[in-house]
Amino acid sequence: MAVPIAVLDCDLLLYGRGHRTLDRFKLEDVTDEYLVSTYGFPRQFICYLVDLLGATLSRPTQRSRAISPETQILAALGFYTSGSFQTRMGDAIGISQASMSRCVANVTEALVERASQFIHFPKDEATVQTLKEDFYGLAGMPGVLGVVDCTHVAIKAPNAEDLSYVNRKGLHSLNCLMVCDSRGVLLSAETHWPGSLADCTVLEQAALTSQFETELHKDGWLLGDSSFLLRTWLMTPLHIPETPAEYRYNMAHSATHNVIERTFRTIRSRFRCLDGSKGTLQYSPEKSSHIILACCVLHNISLQHGLDVWSAPATGHMEQSEEEYEQMESVDSEACRVRQELLLTHFS
């Protein structure tokens, strides 16, 4: 009697009965060194993700070989950290390339659902004060709540007619607006902006601006480079410093703002799917945005687990800025007054 095609096991068809089945791969059967080299993270971190995402990834199924949350997480980590769906990655855990792709999609959405849990500004006064003190310890810049910048991640062309994702270098990308603290922990991440938008336009339209103008700008500010306009809650460098105090301000600003550049390098180095070395993200802008945000969540979780050594610079296409911006003077007189008061109080 013919067997209905709907019940055939795709992995069995692809690999045969001799292939490793899903329930044979166990974390306890391999070393930490193997896990780090293959999936980018140690056992304790992976077990934490299984506990965090397990309920979401355990979906009812009639298949006898449903993919476990553990296997789904390993598949996704393998892609995030290598940027590849190579057969050897699937071979390592006993699933096909098609299954790998589904696992990445499932884990990505589960992480995106938890983004606000791991990426947010502190709310209580004691933590905010600690945030400012940590920044002040870097280079003597007071009142800093975070450093902000944009970075581009290359994606495949959505379609021939859509030029909104073409950046000034002629590549399709997403322009991602991020804020981090002095350790590189992300406090905000907006990963969906089309690559054609200038950094200042992204910030103007971002939820971050609304957030700071209505809630978080009291007694502190972000630091941004000269691609952004000066605001009462966003301190930028002086375009042409003339006095010793202005030079000291610019030097402290630059040394402090450098944290976000190192953070971008760390994310690019840890999550190779974003660095362009394996090609662009082969997804729609929406799915690519979710993958970037999922990597941001994992970045913060990794810092919580003590995996916080700054990575060395890596080559690739995730660049700190695509712009050769013009120096723009702010027309906000109140913002100019705030910066001038900062200069007189702390750098004169």
Side-chain angles (χ1 to χ4, degrees), residues 6-23:
V7 301
L8 288 177
D9 189 320
C10 294
D11 289 324
L12 184 62
L13 287 174
L14 285 169
Y15 296 112
R17 294 189 180 276
H19 188 75
R20 187 198 307 251
T21 56
L22 301 180
D23 58 355

Side-chain angles (χ1 to χ4, degrees), residues 67-126:
I67 302 177
S68 68
E70 181 179 280
T71 301
Q72 292 183 62
I73 288 167
L74 289 173
L77 291 178
F79 169 71
Y80 297 146
T81 58
S82 72
S84 173
F85 282 131
Q86 289 179 354
T87 302
R88 66 173 183 82
M89 185 65 69
D91 284 348
I93 49 180
I95 61 176
S96 66
Q97 182 171 321
S99 295
M100 278 279 296
S101 182
R102 288 193 296 272
C103 290
V104 171
N106 292 342
V107 174
T108 295
E109 292 312 305
L111 288 168
V112 167
E113 288 173 4
R114 291 161 177 79
S116 61
Q117 177 182 345
F118 294 99
I119 303 175
H120 57 81
F121 284 91
K123 296 290 181 66
D124 62 284
E125 291 185 11

